[in-house]
Amino acid sequence: MHVTIDLDKCAGHARCYAVSPEYFDIDDDGYAASAHVEVPEGAEQLAIDAVAACPERAIQICEA
Ligand code: F3S
């Protein structure tokens, strides 16, 4: 599953990292460090939880 993060929307809440530090990386200021995250099969729920956790709605799941 491919996940994109709109770095312009990211406000540094770091909740994606709190939900799934295995896949979501943040910089020293708590902002998302990468605009693209690959979440493997079996871990989709972590991506879904991260989407729900971001108050800026910066995280989107790409179905393709
Ligand atoms: Fe940014 Fe949202 Fe994560 S604001 S650090 S993408 S929880």
Side-chain angles (χ1 to χ4, degrees):
M1 176 186 274
H2 188 72
V3 177
T4 61
I5 302 175
D6 185 335
L7 299 181
D8 290 332
K9 284 188 182 174
C10 174
H13 293 288
R15 294 189 194 170
C16 50
Y17 178 78
V19 165
S20 177
E22 307 94 320
Y23 303 115
F24 291 87
D25 211 6
I26 54 172
D27 65 18
D28 291 343
D29 296 317
Y31 286 78
S34 174
H36 300 277
V37 176
E38 210 51 54
V39 177
E41 260 180 59
E44 291 92 346
Q45 189 60 47
L46 289 172
I48 293 165
D49 290 348
V51 169
C54 179
E56 305 298 332
R57 298 188 181 280
I59 307 172
Q60 292 206 323
I61 291 170
C62 298
E63 299 297 344

